[in-house]
Amino acid sequence: MPRLSEVISELDALWPPERAEGWDAVGTVCGDPDAEIHRVLFAVDPVQEIADEAKKLGAHLIVTHHPLYLRGTTTVAADTFKGRVVHTLIREDIALHVAHTNADTADPGVSDALAAALDLRVERPLVPDATDPAGRRGLGRICVLDHPETLAAFAARAAARLPATAQGIRLAGDPEAPVRTVAVSGGSGDSLFDAVRAAGVDAFLTADLRHHPASEATQHSPLGLVDAAHWATEWPWCEQAAAQLEAISDRLGWDLRVHVSKQVTDPWTAHHSSGAPN
């Protein structure tokens, strides 16, 4: 069985921490480098439900997309919810490793997994990484549908293929507009509208679209917007990342047991609506 330090070395090769944004907090949060690793659990959020699932599963390592502490803290007391997670992990000898913005821009990255979940063909990054001579790394992806469909049909495709959440899928634009080219970005994407417009795509699928940027985007052009839950757009990465680690385990003869959490940790738990406006 590999030691934690060996597994982390391979994970850092997949998602080098130096490629994370300067404000980000990636890497190993807790864990003994010499501890043996038999089971690994992938999840989006390092919340108590995931720590409890890892304990029940007998996992020795959790890999999450979102950081536990994005900003500094002065306490890990167990009467705080993040402190309780830390106490659970240390008490149960479970390590935690985070790959966030360094996984967003990786090749393959978060948006590649999102595109694959929607059965889209990736052409190139939406915002290329200037340090990648191959032109494959970067934020978001420009994709093509094998067969054109309406914006409404594309939104229905997203609803059917992404994990179900209380939010569901929101659509802005003409539901009957034809869609052939799509920009996708897992997680919050309304800072990318300039790049999306420059790409000239028919639609943009992302999460956390706010009122004013979305309103301005629809006024600028006939761009169709498909807004999914943040968690739902990033969860496919867990399956992609788990498959990558399984391939490494097979190559190195580690015999790791790799799991993906199916728990919905999206914070929204219910949705009420009187129906779409006329």
Side-chain angles (χ1 to χ4, degrees), residues 72-181:
T73 185
T74 59
T75 178
V76 292
D79 60 355
T80 65
F81 80 89
K82 293 188 178 185
R84 184 182 168 208
V85 171
V86 172
H87 277 252
T88 301
L89 296 177
I90 294 175
R91 183 174 59 248
E92 302 299 330
D93 199 19
I94 302 170
L96 173 62
H97 187 79
V98 173
H100 192 211
T101 53
N102 49 330
D104 286 334
T105 58
D107 171 31
V110 170
S111 293
D112 290 295
L114 175 57
L118 298 171
D119 198 22
L120 304 175
R121 176 162 47 87
V122 173
E123 288 201 325
R124 63 187 187 277
L126 174 62
V127 182
D129 181 345
T131 68
D132 176 22
R136 296 179 59 87
R137 293 198 309 266
L139 193 60
R141 295 294 185 265
I142 303 295
C143 307
V144 177
L145 281 71
D146 287 337
H147 303 285
E149 61 190 27
T150 65
L151 180 61
F154 179 67
R157 174 199 294 237
R161 300 193 182 193
L162 294 180
T165 61
Q167 173 183 315
I169 302 293
R170 300 189 299 178
L171 181 157
D174 178 3
E176 297 305 313
V179 173
R180 179 65 190 272
T181 57

Side-chain angles (χ1 to χ4, degrees), residues 2 6 49 86 118 132 136 139 216 218 225 236 244:
E6 296 175 287
E49 296 94 324
V86 172
L118 298 171
D132 176 22
R136 296 179 59 87
L139 193 60
E216 291 170 6
T218 58
L225 303 180
Q244 289 177 280

Side-chain angles (χ1 to χ4, degrees), residues 16-243:
E18 62 270 19
R19 291 187 187 148
E21 296 289 339
W23 50 264
D24 205 359
V26 302
T28 306
V29 178
C30 66
D32 180 352
D34 291 328
E36 288 190 346
I37 304 299
H38 302 269
R39 291 184 184 270
V40 182
L41 178 64
F42 282 83
V44 175
D45 298 301
V47 292
Q48 188 63 42
E49 296 94 324
I50 299 302
D52 291 341
E53 181 179 355
K55 173 184 174 182
K56 183 177 180 180
L57 188 64
H60 309 95
L61 169 64
I62 301 172
V63 180
T64 64
H65 183 51
H66 290 154
L68 178 61
Y69 288 102
L70 189 55
R71 298 174 179 83
T73 185
T74 59
T75 178
V76 292
D79 60 355
T80 65
F81 80 89
K82 293 188 178 185
R84 184 182 168 208
V85 171
V86 172
H87 277 252
T88 301
L89 296 177
I90 294 175
R91 183 174 59 248
E92 302 299 330
D93 199 19
I94 302 170
L96 173 62
H97 187 79
V98 173
H100 192 211
T101 53
N102 49 330
D104 286 334
T105 58
D107 171 31
V110 170
S111 293
D112 290 295
L114 175 57
L118 298 171
D119 198 22
L120 304 175
R121 176 162 47 87
V122 173
E123 288 201 325
R124 63 187 187 277
L126 174 62
V127 182
D129 181 345
T131 68
D132 176 22
R136 296 179 59 87
R137 293 198 309 266
L139 193 60
R141 295 294 185 265
I142 303 295
C143 307
V144 177
L145 281 71
D146 287 337
H147 303 285
E149 61 190 27
T150 65
L151 180 61
F154 179 67
R157 174 199 294 237
R161 300 193 182 193
L162 294 180
T165 61
Q167 173 183 315
I169 302 293
R170 300 189 299 178
L171 181 157
D174 178 3
E176 297 305 313
V179 173
R180 179 65 190 272
T181 57
V182 179
V184 302
S185 181
S188 302
D190 63 16
S191 65
L192 301 174
F193 275 128
D194 286 346
V196 171
R197 281 192 289 269
V201 294
D202 301 317
F204 179 34
L205 185 148
T206 188
D208 298 340
L209 291 181
R210 295 170 296 162
H211 174 88
H212 293 295
S215 176
E216 291 170 6
T218 58
Q219 295 300 314
H220 270 293
S221 72
L223 176 70
L225 303 180
V226 181
D227 183 49
H230 189 121
W231 175 86
T233 64
E234 294 181 331
W235 184 85
W237 172 81
C238 295
E239 290 195 323
Q240 175 181 275

